[in-house]
């Protein structure tokens, strides 16, 4: 591999004439991940990520096209900030070589360890506002919007994974689910909750057909690398053109899971309060930044500079993004209780009784959000709703 | 051209060893259209349609990619019924050879001539229900829906024509508009009607981003060939994956224009009543057929056979299609008053005073539909609304 790497000019330029120490460091779920480090200067490292044509953790018989890396590369290159620096990528070879984030940890772990991240809401709100606005018909012209859709439309397999695992299987009896004995009653209740499932279908339909903007597609707290100063978004292999609220919803869902976990595990009220405050700040700043970008745009696929309209249009538009985000958040929270790939801060709770209590509260809040998002009008409403129900 | 035609096996098979008489019969707006007839048997004819890389009526400097024929061919081949038989097509050559509809006229002309078409509502409702349902995520699986999107996503130029001419330029001062002197006050009023224009923007956003189903994209009464027994849909070069309600809206808009024309021109109350009855029947039958197809589908991108949901979901879904259709209908009616390419039954009225009265009523009803479609609950509501306002 050393020869391959040093034949790439940008990589050669990075390492100069140093020999490389290469080791595999992937968690082994989906891809191969290697760390290449200079043998002379251990602070000089790059990450090499390569997709193989199957779900690595499940074996070669579980086919998953390595084409997914194509969409990851395209998304990484679309982002304007808060993304690892890309040194090299090759869609044909399903390979990307990028900055090594050695001083950062996965946000999910940081939240479990009760680390405060004072800049996180500022960073992630910038990422969300930029990514969603600049890839939408509010900014792009008609031609460039369709070109962008073309570049992501065929990420079919990963879109289908979301359709199946986020919107379907986790809410019905299915072999991929994980239902603990002491939660069987709750699972039965959920699987027979027709009102909830009907509301899920509405959100699933929006997910499948609403082509607002470029999504990360899997923006949970495991897709964010962080420290007190910096925030990086990683792993956008689920990227596609979908509804504005889906990434925001994923993020809110995972922050709420962490909040609920701390109610039962650490009982740290200050940290719980910080998480809620962070959700509020993320949303407020996202909305503010998104609107600023929009107000500075005179012409786009949607807007013509000589076509006057009522500014209330933008308020209603933003309210719809908010409500949709909360609906998706509820869906994402609920699906993690019985569905494949539960979140560590809940499913990893050692004590079964505490684990059950936390799961029950996730279910209660998640299903309430799916059933009531149309009744929440702004982020303050959401925070009050969470406090009143937890 | 004879040699080219007879070298195609399906065409050779149609004409056998007959010599051909070929003449150009196109109206010359967009494409070349030729009629090839057997010199032995004048009842044996085919239509040859070829796109050139510009808007033919405007000259070579008005570029319009002949790629549009690709989408026309793809759409014609997607339709299950009520479409001319295709004998040959070549996307690269932008050519399609199809059944000659010698016993049919353009529906717009038939309506001007007050012909009754007793089977039209049955035929067109079948076409709409089949086309919209079978190309949607209610029927297709996730993979095939994305493949279908891929086949139409790049019809960018013609989508942009609609965005510009249906949703934008016709509602603001623009050089392509046609504002008669005795309608200047009405034009000014419309161009400054912020509430109406804001509601248009909402519909435009839906048009640009809602990927429900395969649309014809320009389903006015000039895109339908008809006689008392048969109905054929032609010219789907604007085809793309868009919102369910857009084609229905286009059709309703053009039928309402004809209705309004007859109020002033022929004053034929019986024919006016027939048009309204036809609109009602089209919608009722479309809804019934669409729901029957849906009720017979157990599995699709949206639905899993083991995922139960409330049947009220379908009612709400259908209501949304209805309201959206009416919104689009209002938009389409209004844009024909001052925008490019007015409809013959209104703009072609000889007497300027009568033409003005008809235009004013189109404006009144069109803008009302755009502003009030959320308050109309079913097709009976629409018919009552039209009768009360005309």
């Amino acid at each position: 591999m050393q020869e391959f790497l040093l034949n790439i000019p940008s990589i050669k330029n990075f390492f100069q004439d140093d020999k490389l120490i290469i080791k595999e460091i992937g968690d082994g779920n989906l891809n191969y991940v290697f760390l290449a480090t200079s043998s002379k200067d251990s602070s000089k490292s790059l990450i090499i990520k390569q997709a193989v044509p199957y779900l690595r953790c499940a074996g070669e018989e579980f086919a998953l096209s390595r084409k997914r890396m194509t969409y990851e590369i395209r998304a990484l290159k679309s982002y304007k900030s808060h993304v690892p620096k890309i040194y090299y990528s090759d869609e044909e070879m399903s390979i990307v070589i990028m900055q090594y984030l050695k001083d950062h940890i996965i946000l999910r772990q940081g939240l479990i360890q009760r680390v405060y991240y004072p800049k996180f809401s500022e960073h992630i709100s910038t990422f969300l506002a930029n990514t969603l606005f600049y890839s939408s018909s509010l900014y792009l012209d008609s031609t460039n919007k369709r070109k962008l859709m073309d570049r992501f439309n065929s990420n079919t397999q990963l879109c289908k994974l979301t359709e199946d695992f986020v919107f379907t299987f986790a809410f019905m009896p299915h072999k991929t689910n994980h239902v603990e004995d002491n939660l069987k009653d709750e699972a039965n209740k959920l699987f027979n909750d027709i009102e909830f499932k009907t509301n899920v279908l509405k959100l699933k339909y929006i997910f499948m057909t609403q082509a607002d903007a470029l999504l990360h597609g899997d923006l949970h707290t495991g897709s964010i690398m962080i420290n007190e100063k910096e925030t990086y978004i990683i792993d956008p292999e689920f990227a596609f053109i979908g509804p504005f609220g889906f990434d925001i919803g994923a993020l809110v869902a995972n922050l709420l899971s962490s909040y609920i976990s701390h109610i039962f595990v650490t009982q740290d009220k200050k940290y719980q309060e910080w998480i809620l405050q962070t959700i509020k700040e993320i949303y407020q700043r996202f909305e503010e930044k998104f609107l600023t970008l929009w107000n500075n745009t005179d012409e786009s696929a949607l807007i013509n500079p000589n076509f006057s309209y009522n500014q209330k249009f933008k308020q209603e538009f933003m309210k719809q993004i908010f409500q949709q985000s909360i609906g998706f958040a509820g869906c994402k929270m609920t699906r993690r209780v019985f569905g494949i790939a539960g979140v560590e801060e809940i499913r990893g709770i050692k004590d079964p009784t505490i684990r059950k209590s936390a799961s029950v509260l996730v279910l209660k809040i998640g299903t309430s959000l799916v059933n009531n998002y149309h009744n929440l009008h702004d982020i303050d409403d959401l925070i009050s709703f969470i406090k009143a129900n937890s």
Side-chain angles (χ1 to χ4, degrees), chain A:
Chain A
M1 181 178 278
Q2 170 153 314
E3 196 186 327
F4 164 75
L5 292 175
L6 295 177
N7 272 329
I8 301 167
S10 57
I11 309 299
K12 174 81 183 163
N13 188 46
F14 182 85
F15 286 118
Q16 301 292 337
D17 292 321
D18 304 1
K19 287 215 164 146
L20 302 185
I21 301 160
I22 296 171
K23 58 179 178 179
E24 211 212 312
I25 59 161
D27 61 1
N29 272 334
L30 281 168
N31 304 298
Y32 285 98
V33 183
F34 300 92
L35 178 65
T37 305
S38 156
S39 58
K40 279 195 193 152
D41 177 355
S42 65
S43 74
K44 279 166 72 178
S45 292
L46 290 178
I47 288 287
I48 300 103
K49 186 170 174 185
Q50 184 167 34
V52 286
Y54 46 87
L55 194 59
R56 202 184 152 205
C57 62
E60 298 196 17
E61 73 277 20
F62 199 103
L64 190 68
S65 166
R66 66 187 169 84
K67 211 19 177 117
R68 65 185 183 274
M69 180 56 83
T70 299
Y71 305 105
E72 176 163 347
I73 291 168
R74 290 178 184 180
L76 286 170
K77 289 180 160 183
S78 302
Y79 299 151
K80 293 190 185 299
S81 65
H82 300 289
V83 65
K85 186 176 173 186
I86 306 299
Y87 286 84
Y88 177 78
S89 66
D90 187 326
E91 294 186 2
E92 285 305 305
M93 286 184 62
S94 304
I95 199 167
V96 61
I97 302 179
M98 56 190 161
Q99 176 184 2
Y100 174 46
L101 301 169
K102 64 177 182 303
D103 302 321
H104 307 75
I105 63 170
I106 292 287
L107 174 58
R108 188 181 303 286
Q109 296 306 321
L111 293 172
I112 288 173
Q113 295 161 28
R114 280 185 279 169
V115 184
Y116 291 87
Y117 295 107
K119 300 210 167 164
F120 174 58
S121 56
E122 178 60 20
H123 293 158
I124 197 77
S125 59
T126 297
F127 172 80
L128 287 167
N130 282 343
T131 308
L132 295 175
F133 181 78
Y134 286 121
S135 63
S136 76
S137 302
L138 310 180
Y139 173 75
L140 294 175
D141 65 26
S142 188
T143 306
N144 283 310
K145 176 71 186 294
R146 289 202 170 266
K147 280 187 184 159
L148 187 70
M149 286 172 74
D150 236 23
R151 287 173 63 74
F152 290 93
N153 179 59
S154 299
N155 199 1
T156 310
Q157 261 191 323
L158 273 73
C159 286
K160 177 146 171 59
L161 283 183
T162 305
E163 289 161 29
D164 286 345
F165 291 110
V166 175
F167 293 102
T168 312
F169 298 160
F171 309 128
M172 59 182 248
H174 196 270
K175 60 178 190 233
T176 60
N177 286 341
H178 175 85
V179 180
E180 292 193 70
D181 280 347
N182 68 357
L183 280 169
K184 277 197 171 148
D185 288 349
E186 284 76 8
N188 279 334
K189 191 167 161 256
L190 183 73
F191 297 168
N192 290 298
D193 184 343
I194 302 293
E195 186 201 349
F196 168 75
K197 291 172 76 169
T198 305
N199 289 327
V200 167
L201 272 196
K202 291 180 198 170
L203 289 160
K204 183 180 179 186
Y205 191 79
I206 294 172
F207 176 82
M208 295 195 300
T209 60
Q210 184 61 44
D212 287 323
L214 177 61
L215 299 182
H216 176 284
D218 195 29
L219 194 60
H220 56 77
T221 47
S223 297
I224 297 169
M225 298 282 288
I226 197 163
N227 62 26
E228 278 84 346
K229 291 183 201 144
E230 291 180 317
T231 304
Y232 288 92
I233 313 304
I234 60 169
D235 292 352
E237 59 212 72
F238 284 81
F240 80 113
I241 310 298
F244 280 126
F246 189 71
D247 282 352
I248 305 170
L251 189 64
V252 169
N254 280 267
L255 290 169
L256 285 176
S257 292
S258 179
Y259 165 79
I260 290 168
S261 173
H262 283 292
I263 292 177
F264 294 96
V265 178
T266 64
Q267 297 172 25
D268 183 336
K269 287 208 182 300
K270 197 175 147 227
Y271 200 68
Q272 290 163 45
E273 189 52 47
W274 177 78
I275 294 178
L276 292 187
Q277 182 62 26
T278 298
I279 292 174
K280 184 174 162 174
E281 280 177 19
I282 290 171
Y283 203 84
Q284 282 175 336
R285 290 179 190 192
F286 156 72
E287 201 161 53
E288 199 182 297
K289 289 169 190 176
F290 190 96
L291 268 172
T292 301
L293 293 173
W294 198 355
N295 289 333
N296 290 332
T297 304
D298 286 339
E299 191 158 10
S300 69
L302 184 66
I303 302 294
N304 180 297
N306 297 313
F307 191 97
S308 43
Y309 60 95
N310 195 323
Q311 290 296 316
K312 222 177 63 188
F313 173 67
K314 291 184 183 172
Q315 287 161 28
E316 284 175 26
F317 199 97
M318 295 313 289
K319 186 172 162 185
Q320 205 172 21
I321 296 180
F322 170 75
Q323 291 183 329
Q324 203 186 72
S325 301
I326 302 313
F328 285 128
C331 217
K332 284 272 204 175
M333 285 178 77
T334 312
R335 85 96 178 170
R336 293 281 199 174
V337 179
F338 302 118
I340 202 171
V343 293
E344 186 183 334
E345 63 269 23
I346 302 290
R347 211 175 273 179
I349 296 173
K350 292 280 188 308
D351 182 306
T353 313
I354 298 180
R355 188 165 68 239
K356 176 177 174 170
S357 302
S359 299
V360 167
L361 186 53
V362 173
L363 273 178
K364 179 185 162 194
I365 290 184
T367 53
S368 298
L369 295 184
V370 167
N371 291 331
N372 298 302
Y373 63 91
H374 282 302
N375 303 322
L376 299 176
H377 301 290
D378 58 32
I379 192 67
D380 287 323
D381 267 8
L382 174 72
I383 302 299
S384 308
F385 181 89
I386 298 299
K387 285 184 174 171
N389 285 281
S390 62

